[in-house]
Structures are given as structure tokens and as C-alpha cells.
Amino acid sequence: MLRLPLRSNPGLMNWFYGFKPPEQGTIVLGHRRVYIVPSRLGLLFGGVLLILLMGSINYALSLGFALTFLLAGAGLAGMVQTTRNLARLAVQAGRAEPAFAGERALYRLTLASDAPFDRPEILLRQKNSGAECRVDVPAAGAAEALLAVPTARRGWQPLGRVMLETRFPLGLFRAWSYVEPDCRCLVYPHPEPGALPPPAPSRQAGGARAHAQGSDDFSGLRAYQPSDSPRHVAWKSSARSEDMLTKQFAGEAVAELWLMLSDLPTSLGLEARLSRLAGWVLAAERSGAHYGLRLPGVELAPARGDAHRTACLEALALYQPGAGAVQGPGTAR
Amino acid sequence: MSADAQPAPRPNPRPDPQRAPDQRALGGRDFALLGAGLAIVLAPHALRAPAWLVVLTLALIGWRLLAVGRPALLPPKALLVAIVAAGMLGIWLEYRAIFGRTPGVMLLVLFAGLKALESRNQRDAAALVFLTWFLAITNFLYTQSIPTALGMLAAVAASVAALVALAAPRRPPRASLRTVAVLLGQAVPAALVLFLLFPRVQGPLWGLPQDAYSAMSGLADSMAPGSLSQLTLSDAIAFRVDFQGEAPPRRALYWRGPVLWDFDGRTWRMGSPTVAEMPVPRNGTRSEYSVLLEPHNRHWLFALEAPALLPPRTRYLEDGQIVTLAPVRARMRYDMVSLVGPDASPGNDRRLLGRALRLPDGFNPRARALAEGWSRRGAGDAQVRASDAQVLERAIAFFRKERLQYTTDPRLLGRDSVDEFLFDSREGFCEHFSSAFVFLMRAAGVPARVVTGYQGGDMNPVDQRFTVRQSDAHAWAEVFLAGRGWTRIDPTALSVPQRLNEGLARAISTDALPLLLRPEMAWLRSLRYNWEALTHQWNLLVLGYNPERQREFMSWFGMRDADWLELASTLLAVLGGFVLALFAWMLGRMARPDPVQTAWLQFCRKLGARGVARAPHEGPRDYAERAARDLPGAGEPIRRIAALYMALRYGRRPSAAQAGELRGELRRRVNDLRFG
């Protein structure tokens, strides 16, 4: 009954649930934020009690009344305990590791309780995706919940609204509460599978393999790129040829690669080009090459290693085409 | 919530989405708890059920237990359907009915076994729990004794434990057990409130099956040879009596019940008396008492002769019976006043006398001859017809002289039952004595009728209450004498005087008596007295709590004649208060305020009110120093309070006793802080 207006109107929902997302820091579920209704089993239980009551009245069974009322009392106590299972629970969002689009983002939530009793069977459900996780919070302790939420688009993906629900101890009532912690996960572009090898320094010299390149052992010559170190220019050979040539080495130190958005045809669309770039970044890192990334307005100098790879992927994830830049169909938010 | 107090977060073992909870398969623990609950509620039914049903139900439950963890052993749907059909057919063959009380209960027993067998997931388990409760309440149709109640409690505990285990399958059993104890502990006060305050209405709400009250025993509306002696073998309680003041002597305890008028040669039946004004008894010893009558599914109440008070919603009939408007189907309590005396005689209405002389023709010729002999001879003159009083005298003398034997196991009598009793077998029970006496009186032309009821009763030395059992059932005669009215004559007592003073047990010499009635079982009797005293309280307070008692209860709280609306609102208020209190207590347990922090904050507020508010960056030492400088009148206490606070907060951990002392001093000093 309330669901529809609440769902369509986030402001109303915020008012109804009494908090303004996203919430910073530790969220303590005050008992005003914990809602409770009978579950389907609880409704059945109510029906059973009604039948027992009618039978007791009809046959004037004093012990029938006693049984009915004892069960009703247990139901009431269960209702209070179900609320208690959530009330004053502290929810804290942890760091979510970046994920590639199409993978699941793993959000970590820590549920902590300073109560002298344990809180079993707390179900967390991410509202948008329905990702679920059940945890038992020990007495005066904490438990970590992992929510694996599917991702579709690159960029920051906030965790959004998470429902905490419990039916413990009798399953007759369902208590729930919503939290929307300030927690987001960076989603990299989906690395295009079977990505092309990184482009050669220039179009004319296509065919040179990047992953075998280094600077220790001389392995051959290739066309000069503007960024090539003068020390690597094969001056003698260049003198004999029309073009400048650069010496190629196999081994640890590699020639520098530039991964550029502008190298990819605009007909692919922005998102597809970013995906391909992401695939190249991964391939380049695997090959051990020094690679740089150049997007309109963003330039990361060639380097290698996890930090650099992360920086490149982050740049790809967060790239916002500026004014005048090519707009792909799947432009990020 | 202080972050350092928590252990490191446990990694969650199962991050994957779970199956819906009611699809989870049941485990051995679930079945153990469900089975325990079912076993407890099924056990009493097993004594009532036909043997094949008991075996079948046990087999079904055993089958399910065998199949735990081996789903291949579970039967296919078709087999289940076949078992249902066969079971229902069996029940129909057994009782020739499917509806009605006992067949209905047996069906429920059958379904419990079948449901147990086909249970796979949590939803089935919930259904089994509900079935357990239905079976528990059907037990109360047969008995509501204390042991039954304890059994019910155990069954409820098992089924609640099953629900808890279902809701948290990974929790250690010990923790779940504690949860069950807490739940039931909290349920009991709520149940008590509901029991006392829930607006009670007098049932039934709808028609009851024909056999609903077949289990109730007691006097019938007719009397044939053998009917009373069968009844007296039963130890069951007919009613209990609580006398205000001294109880009358045992020999005077004639609890008058149905009055039988019409004789067909074998069976005495009730007349069709009309409602009459209750006559005021003339003399006798006033005796006030209250009766707690067991349900007997009849209209009549029992009272000592002669009643002087009509309980509410009852009528007085012209032959002296007191009847209720509806059959007594629940334990009923009523207050009575009687004037007990040898002369007590209800009514002197002559209208009924014709009926009191009627006899069927062609029965008992020898008895007729005897009676006619009594009536022919006048006191002095053989031609003058004897007066009724003279006839009565002769009859009494006859019974005294003849030494007829008293037995609960008399020989079977033929067509002329009175003749055979008086002249051939010469042994019988009170129905034989009273029947023969009334027959003789009528044959002699003296109006007479048979009265059935109970005679005597057992005083329980523990609670001083009288218990009247079915074994005290009795039949006597009433004779109408001109000028005196209906006069009670007990022909059994004439022949066997000790029957009155010492009860049935002494009057009978056979072994046919129930074990507990035998005089030598004294220690068993004392045990029984204690148990019965307890049972009496149980019956009175728990089972006898009905709409009337509820009104009485409410009047203690100043609510006279509380109607259901008042009751319901009181109930809601009390129950709501209970739930809120429970809730507040639980929340309070979660966040008990730290007394040290509370005292410190109070201290800061006090100083703040004097203009020395604590700056956010100030620690306790700096703050106290500054405050002591600014408020020199209280410098010493301020420093001491800060020192105590720092010792409790940051000092080396003191022992529990020391800490308590320090906390006490801190609180005291903060409270006493003055800035003189």
C-alpha cells in the first residue's frame, strides 16, 4: 500500500524512514528506524490462534484458553525479540575494492553490537540488485557482511539503500530497517576481451611486438617515436636509412607505449573505446611494458606496476568527455 | 559504541545469496524437536485411538526419522494419497463417522503422522508445529488435569524450540535453548494477563457433535437394576463442597438429585415436573456451602435437603429438583443454603399424588400381596384400612428384620425384579432397596417416589473440603404422609445401617471396590488427599475461571459488572504496557549508561552553569585546573572529582570492589558539589 508512493518518491521515502542518505560514518539503528510486521508465517500463526480461541470458547476449555494465550504471549515476546535483534545495531561501511564493469562489486559492511546477546540471522539485501547476505552478529562483537552487487557501467557506483532484515527468533515477525551508508565502489570499464595488442609507436611501424621489448639486450630496430629516448636512437642505421630508427631491446626495461583514445576510431563509440583501452592497459601491464595513457585532458606518463595500472584504470573509469570531445553513445554520467 | 572494545570482524562465511528460508531442507535437530512435541501431544490420544491407528502413526513418524538425510527413502505422492485414503476409511469403519469429536481427533492424529512423513522444508515444519498445537487442545476435550497441563507446557516448549531452530539453523543448540527459556518466561506473564482479562463469553458458539459429552459420567434420568452399582465403581468426582462453618454429620448428607416417578416394571424414570415456587423450609440446621459441580451434561444440581436458596439462572421444580437452564457442560460453582434436619421435607403438593401411586399391572405379585397385607390390617381393627403411617411403620420393620444383603455386585434379576430381590436373591444395591421400597409403598396405597443423588462424601483433611464421588451415588425413597408431606426414607440404611456412617467401603465385604476405596490403604489415601486438595484449587482457580468468575475478579479492581468493552480496553492497556515495558527493558539492557560518564557529564553541566564550560579540546586535568582557578570556593572538590574521574577512566584497572568505591565517591562528590 505504501510501497508505490515510497518507491517513486525518494524524498518521501527519506521522510518516512527518517534519515537522509548517504549517511556518514557509523550508522546506529535507533529503534525508531526498525520496522516490524508479521511475516506470512506470523499471519498463519494468528489464524491458528484464532481457531484455538474459538475452540476454547465453544467447548469451554479453560486449558484451551491457557494454551492459546501462552502461544500468544510467546508470539508477543518473539515480536519484541525480533525488534531487539536489529535495534541499536551499528552499521559501518568498509572499503569496496574496485571492480570491472560486468563483475560483481564487493561491498563490505561491518555490523557491530555492544549488546550482551547475540543477533543471529540478519539478512542484508541491496535494494537495487537484490544481492543478499546473511550474518550472525555475536554478543558484544561484530560481523562482516559482503554484498556482491553486479556492475554495469564504469564510474563510481554507490552502494545505495540496503535493507537489514531479521525474523529471528520465531519467524513470525519480520523486522527491517534501511541504511544507506556513504560507500561507493569504483567500476573500471569492462576490459574488452581479446583486446588487440597495444599499438606500435606509429602506424607505419605496425607489427612490432611490444611484450618482448626491453632495454637490456638489443633485439632489433623500429621506427622512431617522438618520445623515444635519444640514447636509444640507432644513429648509424638512421644515417643509412630515410627514417630515424630506434634500437629495440628485449628484457626488463621496455620501450614506452602510449595508449591513446585518439588512436581508436570514433565510430566505435566512447565506451567501447574506453573498454578497449582498459584491455590494453591490462595487456600492457601483463607484458611488462612501460605504458602511458592519453585521454583528452588527461595524460599519465609512461610507467608500470600496480599503482600505475590502477591510476590508468581509474582515469578510464572516471573519464568525462569535455566540451568538444567526442560523445559516445554510452557516455558516462 | 567504542571501536576498541570490539573484536575483529568475523569474515562472513557465506556471502552468496541464500535459498529462500522456507525452502531450506530440515535437519535431524529440527525433526528431533518436532517429533518430541508431537510425541507428547499424541501420547494421551494413543490410549483412546484404535491400535491400528497408533501403529500406523508411529510407523509414519518412524519412517520420516529414518529418512533424515536419505531423501531417497521418502515415499512418492501416490503412496501418501493411498495412506490418507486407507486411514480415513479405517476411521470411518471404526466409528461410522468422520465428523464428531472422537473420529475428528483421530483424523487429526492420522494427519499428524502423514504430515510428519511428507515434511521436507521449513514450511512443512511450521505446519507440523501448528498440528501439534491443535492436537494439544484436543486432549483438553477429554481431560484438563494438572498432568495434562504440564504435558501441554512441555509440548509448547518443544514446538517453540523447533521454531527457534528453524529460524536460526546455524546457532548452537545451547544458545537456542536459552532463547526458548526467555521467550516462554516472557510469555507466561502475558498469558496470565490474557487469561484473566480476555473477555470470556459463554460457549458454545456453534452446535457440538453428538458425542461431545459422552465422556461425562454421573446419574442418569432413569434407574434400572445395575445402573447405580455400575456408577459406584467409579472413583470419579461428582462434585466438591466447601462448607462455611461446621459440616453436618455424614449421615445427614443426602445430596438430592433427580426424582424418579414412573415405573415400568424394570426401570424408574423421571416424571415431567413443572417449575414451581420454592417452598421455604420450616426447620432444620442452617448450613451454608458452595458446590463445585463436575460437568455431567444434565440439568440438575445437587443440594442438601432442604434447599433454602435458588442459585442464579436455575429453576425449582415441583418435586424438589433444582435444575439449570442449560446442561452443565463445564465445571460449575454455585452457592447454596440448606436447612438440614430429620424433618426436612420439600413440598406438600397433593396434585402429584396420583402419579405417586401408579404401578404397572402384572409385575411382582408376591410383593403386591405383602404390601396389601400391610394396608389391610388397621391398628386394632382388621376391617379398618391401616393409615399411611402404620403402613410405613410395618414396611420399616420389614426392612429392618429381613437383613437383606448389600452388595455392589448383585445377581441379575428377571422380570419380577422386586419379588426376586425381596424373596429370592435377598441381596442388592441401593437401587434394589429403593425400588422395592417404593413399589411396596405404592402397592400398599401410600404415595411414594424414588430419589437419586449422592449420600455422604469424603472430607479431605488437607483442605477441609468434602469430595463427593460417583461411588457415593445413592437412591432412596420419599413417602407422602398426610400432615408431614414428603418424608425421606432410606431403605438401604434400614437394612445396612453402617452404609450411612462409614460409607460404602465398610458396608460391603467384597473385593470389588476400587483400590483406593479400601480402608487399609491409609497412606495412599493421604497422598490422594493432598493431590486432590491441589486438584481442587486447580479446578476452582484455573478450570473454573468463567465469565462469572471474571466479573468477580474485575470487581476486586472496582470494575462492577465489567462488560466486554471494558475488559478489552483493560486487556489492551495492560498487555500494551507489558510489551512496552519489555521493550524498554531490552533497550535499557543494550545501552546501560556508564555511571562514570554520567557523573562526569553532570559535573561538566554544573560547572557550565557557573560559567565554566568545558572547551572541546580540554582534557579533564586542564579543565579541572581552570575551573578550580575560576571557582576558588570549590577548588578542592573540583580537583578531587577530576582525579577520581581520571583514575576510573585512564588509571590502572582497579579491582571491582575498588572501582565501585571510587564510583560511589565520584557520584557523591558530584552531587554534593557546591560553589559556596
Side-chain angles (χ1 to χ4, degrees):
Chain A
M1 178 178 68
L2 267 172
R3 260 181 200 174
L4 209 66
L6 284 184
R7 196 158 287 173
S8 59
N9 187 342
L12 191 62
M13 190 137 164
N14 291 342
W15 169 81
F16 185 74
Y17 288 113
F19 65 91
K20 206 172 242 165
E23 298 169 280
Q24 307 284 337
T26 303
I27 307 160
V28 178
L29 302 180
H31 61 270
R32 279 163 206 277
R33 277 178 71 165
V34 178
Y35 305 89
I36 186 161
V37 290
S39 62
R40 193 184 322 167
L41 186 64
L43 292 177
L44 269 173
F45 173 78
V48 167
L49 286 192
L50 206 63
I51 296 171
L52 291 177
L53 184 67
M54 303 277 275
S56 305
I57 293 174
N58 209 41
Y59 288 86
L61 299 175
S62 278
L63 282 192
F65 282 113
L67 171 70
T68 312
F69 296 151
L70 185 66
L71 293 174
L76 280 180
M79 177 181 81
V80 175
Q81 286 217 17
T82 305
T83 314
R84 182 189 84 158
N85 214 29
L86 278 190
R88 302 257 170 107
L89 188 66
V91 183
Q92 198 167 21
R95 198 180 126 74
E97 293 299 325
F100 289 99
E103 288 182 348
R104 285 173 183 272
L106 284 183
Y107 294 93
R108 276 162 211 280
L109 291 178
T110 305
L111 307 186
S113 155
D114 59 355
F117 47 83
D118 63 334
R119 303 166 181 263
E121 293 293 323
I122 293 173
L123 174 76
L124 294 97
R125 182 183 294 131
Q126 206 256 356
K127 282 306 275 182
N128 294 332
S129 66
E132 285 184 343
C133 170
R134 257 170 218 280
V135 286
D136 302 326
V137 181
E144 192 175 76
L146 277 177
L147 282 171
V149 178
T151 57
R153 291 205 204 140
R154 68 187 178 89
W156 285 113
Q157 177 171 315
L159 172 58
R161 203 157 284 227
V162 174
M163 186 184 70
L164 285 90
E165 181 195 297
T166 187
R167 293 170 192 229
F168 182 82
L170 291 177
L172 303 179
F173 288 90
R174 169 179 166 267
W176 79 98
S177 184
Y178 284 110
V179 293
E180 194 164 340
D182 185 21
C183 169
R184 53 188 194 167
C185 177
L186 186 61
V187 180
Y188 301 146
H190 172 67
E192 192 178 290
L196 298 170
S202 78
R203 283 175 201 289
Q204 291 88 334
R209 308 283 303 176
H211 60 256
Q213 288 163 352
S215 55
D216 295 337
D217 299 318
F218 179 72
S219 64
L221 295 169
R222 64 168 169 79
Y224 173 77
Q225 279 183 307
S227 65
D228 283 351
S229 160
R231 290 189 293 127
H232 289 168
V233 175
W235 296 111
K236 285 183 184 170
S237 306
S238 299
R240 281 193 299 259
S241 109
E242 263 188 310
D243 294 310
M244 291 263 279
L245 295 173
T246 302
K247 285 185 268 190
Q248 275 197 311
F249 300 90
E252 279 300 300
V254 199
E256 289 159 348
L257 294 175
W258 277 101
L259 311 174
M260 288 181 289
L261 188 65
S262 53
D263 278 351
L264 290 162
T266 48
S267 60
L268 276 176
L270 177 65
E271 293 305 315
R273 291 154 78 201
L274 290 172
S275 275
R276 183 156 304 177
L277 279 176
W280 284 350
V281 167
L282 294 189
E285 180 66 32
R286 258 200 312 277
S287 74
H290 279 239
Y291 55 94
L293 179 70
R294 189 173 293 149
L295 304 168
V298 182
E299 185 168 319
L300 290 164
R304 48 177 302 213
D306 277 348
H308 180 62
R309 189 193 71 138
T310 306
C312 290
L313 290 171
E314 237 166 63
L316 289 172
L318 298 175
Y319 171 68
Q320 298 287 336
V326 187
Q327 293 274 335
T331 304
R333 291 162 294 171
Chain B
M1 188 168 297
S2 55
D4 56 351
Q6 292 157 13
R10 286 192 315 184
N12 172 42
R14 300 173 310 136
D16 304 328
Q18 296 298 300
R19 275 206 273 177
D22 53 359
Q23 295 302 311
R24 197 180 59 81
L26 298 175
R29 175 152 65 109
D30 302 322
F31 275 112
L33 290 168
L34 292 168
L38 266 184
I40 295 168
V41 294
L42 282 176
H45 283 314
L47 303 174
R48 300 183 261 270
W52 63 266
L53 184 60
V54 177
V55 172
L56 176 64
T57 308
L58 283 178
L60 293 174
I61 295 175
W63 189 347
R64 175 63 250 200
L65 291 179
L66 265 181
V68 173
R70 277 170 285 185
L73 285 181
L74 287 176
K77 271 270 182 290
L79 183 56
L80 280 175
V81 172
I83 297 175
V84 173
M88 286 177 79
L89 183 69
I91 287 170
W92 190 80
L93 288 176
E94 192 83 32
Y95 300 98
R96 298 284 157 183
I98 285 291
F99 302 104
R101 191 177 70 173
T102 303
V105 170
M106 292 311 146
L107 267 186
L108 211 54
V109 169
L110 174 72
F111 288 158
L114 283 163
K115 188 70 210 174
L117 179 55
E118 70 144 20
S119 284
R120 285 156 204 266
N121 56 33
Q122 280 188 304
R123 191 175 302 188
D124 296 326
L128 266 185
V129 166
F130 293 159
L131 261 175
T132 305
W133 298 340
F134 283 128
L135 281 166
I137 206 171
T138 53
N139 272 316
F140 303 147
L141 292 171
Y142 301 92
T143 166
Q144 301 192 65
S145 62
I146 297 175
T148 318
L150 292 177
M152 171 201 83
L153 206 60
V156 167
S159 52
V160 168
L163 283 180
V164 173
L166 291 170
R170 285 167 294 146
R171 207 153 169 253
R174 184 190 290 263
S176 289
L177 219 59
R178 203 171 49 237
T179 302
V180 173
V182 169
L183 277 174
L184 289 180
Q186 291 169 351
V188 166
L192 196 65
V193 169
L194 278 162
F195 190 82
L196 291 174
L197 295 182
F198 187 86
R200 297 294 185 91
V201 289
Q202 192 74 60
L205 300 176
W206 63 85
L208 298 175
Q210 288 294 310
D211 63 345
Y213 300 105
S214 60
M216 296 174 184
S217 65
L219 292 174
D221 53 4
S222 65
M223 183 183 83
S227 60
L228 270 189
S229 47
Q230 274 307 307
L231 186 61
T232 54
L233 289 179
S234 156
D235 225 5
I237 288 168
F239 52 92
R240 294 182 174 83
V241 188
D242 200 358
F243 283 103
Q244 272 100 56
E246 185 130 352
R250 186 190 168 99
R251 56 183 308 116
L253 296 179
Y254 278 89
W255 306 99
R256 202 167 183 278
V259 180
L260 310 178
W261 292 86
D262 301 331
F263 188 52
D264 64 0
R266 179 171 184 82
T267 305
W268 289 87
R269 294 182 199 286
M270 286 177 87
S272 38
T274 51
V275 174
E277 192 75 5
M278 188 166 82
V280 181
R282 287 185 298 261
N283 47 19
T285 318
R286 188 179 169 84
S287 186
E288 288 177 35
Y289 53 95
S290 63
V291 177
L292 185 66
L293 178 64
E294 296 290 315
H296 56 55
N297 199 24
R298 305 283 188 174
H299 288 269
W300 52 78
L301 302 184
F302 297 94
L304 286 177
E305 286 176 352
L309 174 80
L310 207 53
R313 283 189 289 286
T314 58
R315 298 282 179 273
Y316 185 84
L317 302 184
E318 55 192 351
D319 58 4
Q321 297 187 62
I322 298 172
V323 292
T324 54
L325 301 182
V328 181
R329 284 173 172 165
R331 206 170 268 111
M332 176 181 174
R333 185 175 174 273
Y334 54 92
D335 293 320
M336 280 299 298
V337 176
S338 292
L339 292 179
V340 182
D343 270 330
S345 48
N348 52 0
D349 196 338
R350 291 181 160 272
R351 282 188 308 113
L352 297 162
L353 296 187
R355 191 166 199 160
L357 287 170
R358 224 177 283 158
L359 281 181
D361 290 330
F363 283 96
N364 306 312
R366 284 182 281 174
R368 267 181 192 276
L370 175 69
E372 275 154 22
W374 291 341
S375 64
R376 258 200 305 279
R377 289 182 287 108
D381 189 343
Q383 300 307 311
V384 182
R385 196 179 172 279
S387 73
D388 288 354
Q390 283 169 330
V391 172
L392 182 61
E393 255 171 55
R394 283 165 190 160
I396 290 172
F398 172 80
F399 270 83
R400 286 224 168 101
K401 191 181 81 224
E402 281 300 312
R403 294 260 160 237
L404 300 165
Q405 289 297 308
Y406 186 61
T407 171
T408 55
D409 193 18
R411 241 177 282 168
L412 285 179
L413 300 178
R415 180 174 180 276
D416 294 322
S417 56
V418 174
D419 273 5
E420 286 174 43
F421 164 63
L422 286 176
F423 303 108
D424 302 335
S425 74
R426 298 177 58 78
E427 59 169 31
F429 199 60
C430 48
E431 70 251 41
H432 300 89
F433 283 84
S434 56
S435 167
F437 188 85
V438 172
F439 184 92
L440 285 169
M441 294 315 286
R442 287 189 179 185
V446 183
R449 60 194 184 191
V450 173
V451 180
T452 58
Y454 297 89
Q455 204 285 316
D458 232 359
M459 195 184 72
N460 186 333
V462 177
D463 61 0
Q464 310 296 318
R465 285 196 173 84
F466 264 80
T467 305
V468 178
R469 294 166 195 289
Q470 300 300 349
S471 56
D472 294 317
H474 194 44
W476 58 92
E478 278 178 355
V479 177
F480 188 86
L481 295 177
R484 284 185 71 186
W486 288 102
T487 306
R488 180 180 71 224
I489 306 289
D490 188 349
T492 316
L494 296 176
S495 294
V496 197
Q498 59 267 42
R499 167 72 171 84
L500 281 195
N501 292 323
E502 291 157 60
L504 184 61
R506 300 270 181 191
I508 289 184
S509 50
T510 62
D511 293 336
L513 282 172
L515 185 68
L516 282 171
L517 276 184
R518 293 185 200 166
E520 65 269 22
M521 291 296 184
W523 63 274
L524 260 181
R525 277 165 96 95
S526 89
L527 199 66
R528 189 176 71 159
Y529 281 137
N530 278 296
W531 174 248
E532 281 180 354
L534 183 66
T535 305
H536 183 69
Q537 291 301 324
W538 170 257
N539 291 343
L540 207 63
L541 298 178
V542 181
L543 305 188
Y545 193 77
N546 55 19
E548 266 161 65
R549 303 281 299 188
Q550 189 173 45
R551 271 195 290 279
E552 241 171 74
F553 176 76
M554 292 312 290
S555 68
W556 291 356
F557 299 98
M559 290 176 76
R560 300 228 154 266
D561 279 331
D563 62 4
W564 72 270
L565 201 63
E566 284 175 291
L567 280 168
S569 42
T570 314
L571 172 68
L572 281 182
V574 175
L575 207 60
F578 172 75
V579 170
L580 285 183
L582 196 60
F583 197 64
W585 174 71
M586 278 177 167
L587 286 179
R589 257 182 90 208
M590 265 184 250
R592 189 159 295 153
D594 177 3
V596 176
Q597 195 61 25
T598 311
W600 174 252
L601 290 176
Q602 188 192 350
F603 169 74
C604 293
R605 268 199 309 279
K606 273 189 159 181
L607 292 185
R610 303 293 296 195
V612 192
R614 192 173 73 89
H617 63 269
E618 258 176 330
R621 192 196 306 271
D622 295 346
Y623 180 44
E625 272 312 314
R626 185 163 67 83
R629 271 201 313 278
D630 290 1
L631 300 166
E636 197 37 49
I638 288 176
R639 286 199 184 92
R640 177 66 188 152
I641 287 170
L644 281 168
Y645 176 68
M646 286 185 288
L648 280 163
R649 249 310 111 88
Y650 309 110
R652 190 178 300 189
R653 188 171 287 252
S655 75
Q658 273 176 323
E661 231 168 77
L662 291 176
R663 268 202 299 273
E665 190 187 343
L666 175 66
R667 224 181 353 236
R668 212 166 43 247
R669 280 180 176 276
V670 170
N671 279 333
D672 297 346
L673 186 62
R674 298 282 180 279
F675 307 100

